[in-house]
Amino acid sequence: MREGLIARFIDHLPFSKQDVVVSLLEGFTPLLHAPLLSERVGANVYLKLEGANPTGSFKDRGMTCAVSAAVRDGAEAVICASTGNTAASAAAYAARAGLRCAVLVPDGKIAIGKLAQTLMHGGRVIALKGNFDMALQMVRELAERYPIALVNSVNEFRLEGQKTAAFEVVEDLGGPPSALCIPVGNAGNITAYWRGFKEVGASPRMLGFQAEGAAPLVLGHPVENPETVASAIRIGKPARGEEAIAAVESSGGAIRAVSDEEILAAYKMMAVKEGMFFEPASAAAVAGLMKYGAEGAETIVCVMTGRGIKDQQTAMEHHSGKIIQCEPEMNELMRAVLR
Ligand SMILES: *Cc1c(COP(=O)(O)O)cnc(C)c1O
């Protein structure tokens, strides 16, 4: 039987065999070779398909740990600020654990699929008239005052769970990649990967990518009003920013910016040419790789953080498919199909 990532990596995680674990069988996501992208950049490029996790994003890796720890600590509710995927994941794991879940999201700024997921799992969605950074600040204060478990990536258990993706990459490749391309929002995931790589003695170049309109780690200062089509990384004050900078510096990597146009081009290219549909934030990693090139790296892993179907609106605005209206009549159908 397949097991969840806590069971599988228990020796590397702050849990013991006696602990009750809340799992939806997250982790063990595929590493898919990307032939076209490999050819474009002249390296062996693989995609870590984190959208294959139960709620469709890598957040589940951290959430199995954060919610299991919350249960162990006797919490009755969990809370988070979210650009969407953390909310969906927290709501799902809280439902599984029988905990209440509240999420604070920037009003009108999260993808519809993520909102639907959160609501379906019975999450209480609080739509804040403000951005993600304000939401995070507020839930941090609330969690200090009340016995509610905060499950954002400021929670150590989140990073512990997320570092397991690095173990899987090294295991699947039979060794470390030369570089890892990853989108950066609140900077928890890049921090977690680096932690995981270090624990297995690996040291790939960490290449983080932010959207130009939300690039505090590239600019070196917070961004008051972050803006980008990639809603999952629309963050102006990354909570794990310093750790992310430390990770790229010790790995000889960098954090760089890509424009929304570059993100959308990569988003479309992956769907049309590689047959894989990711959300715009994930495409930022590919956009960065295409923009800056392999820079001598032989094996590159792009972390594809979430599934494209979560954000139907962006897809409907930017696809290159066609919808053709058709009367129930054979000649018309032939024209519609063959034209
Ligand atoms: C959360 C998220 C990110 C950003 O991860 P951080 O840990 O906040 O840097 C990127 N892509 C997707 C799809 C996400 O859900």
Side-chain angles (χ1 to χ4, degrees):
M1 272 277 279
R2 197 184 135 137
E3 30 186 26
L5 66 79
I6 294 180
R8 173 80 194 284
F9 294 116
I10 191 126
D11 295 342
H12 296 268
L13 294 172
F15 291 94
S16 73
K17 294 223 162 65
Q18 286 73 48
D19 289 326
V20 173
V21 157
V22 183
S23 171
L24 297 169
L25 298 190
E26 56 296 309
F28 310 101
T29 56
L31 194 64
L32 177 72
H33 187 243
L36 190 93
L37 196 54
S38 296
E39 198 186 296
R40 286 262 176 110
V41 303
N44 247 324
V45 182
Y46 293 88
L47 309 172
K48 181 68 171 154
L49 304 182
E50 288 293 278
N53 277 298
T55 75
S57 85
F58 73 85
K59 300 296 198 298
D60 296 345
R61 288 182 187 276
M63 211 53 77
T64 183
C65 290
V67 172
S68 295
V71 169
R72 187 170 62 186
D73 296 344
E76 283 171 15
V78 299
I79 194 166
C80 64
S82 180
T83 56
N85 281 330
T86 300
S89 185
Y93 282 81
R96 183 77 176 193
L99 301 179
R100 279 180 297 144
C101 172
V103 307
L104 197 52
V105 301
D107 189 18
K109 298 286 192 176
I110 75 169
I112 189 82
K114 303 173 188 180
L115 182 61
Q117 283 182 287
T118 308
L119 293 168
M120 273 305 290
H121 291 301
R124 176 181 295 221
V125 175
I126 300 144
L128 184 73
K129 298 193 185 349
N131 62 30
F132 170 84
D133 302 293
M134 299 170 191
L136 182 58
Q137 175 65 30
M138 292 181 78
V139 293
R140 288 178 91 152
E141 277 175 37
L142 194 77
E144 267 167 32
R145 285 191 227 163
Y146 297 93
I148 306 175
L150 179 62
V151 296
N152 279 104
S153 58
V154 294
N155 178 325
E156 267 305 301
F157 287 97
R158 281 278 309 275
L159 295 204
E160 285 294 303
Q162 285 169 216
K163 77 182 180 187
T164 60
F167 301 163
E168 294 173 21
V169 165
V170 173
E171 204 173 286
D172 283 351
L173 289 175
S178 345
L180 185 93
C181 295
I182 183 169
V184 174
N186 216 20
N189 212 27
I190 190 170
T191 302
Y193 267 88
W194 182 237
R195 185 184 292 185
F197 282 127
K198 278 195 301 186
E199 284 185 22
V200 294
S203 180
R205 270 205 323 262
M206 302 296 285
L207 302 172
F209 297 99
Q210 299 200 293
E212 262 173 18
L217 300 179
V218 180
L219 298 168
H221 59 76
V223 174
E224 280 310 315
N225 298 303
E227 249 329 313
T228 167
V229 66
S231 58
I233 52 172
R234 195 184 285 140
I235 293 177
K237 295 190 193 89
R240 296 279 186 178
E242 282 172 24
E243 286 152 284
I245 297 286
V248 300
E249 281 177 358
S250 31
S251 74
I255 296 185
R256 295 188 280 214
V258 287
S259 68
D260 276 9
E261 291 68 40
E262 289 159 342
I263 289 172
L264 289 170
Y267 175 63
K268 287 194 265 188
M269 186 197 108
M270 295 308 281
V272 174
K273 305 281 189 199
E274 298 279 22
M276 291 299 300
F277 182 21
F278 304 105
E279 60 175 285
S282 307
V286 171
L289 175 58
M290 294 207 294
K291 180 172 185 175
Y292 296 97
E295 299 174 309
E298 271 173 37
T299 310
I300 300 171
V301 170
C302 291
V303 182
M304 307 314 287
T305 46
R307 296 194 94 107
I309 49 170
K310 282 172 169 280
D311 187 351
Q312 294 97 334
Q313 196 179 335
T314 305
M316 292 310 287
E317 283 165 14
H318 297 282
H319 68 80
S320 51
K322 267 198 193 95
I323 300 177
I324 298 162
Q325 303 296 328
C326 182
E327 296 297 327
E329 204 259 301
M330 211 44 178
N331 284 333
E332 250 208 68
L333 176 60
M334 272 159 52
R335 238 177 294 133
V337 173
L338 303 174
R339 178 167 54 192

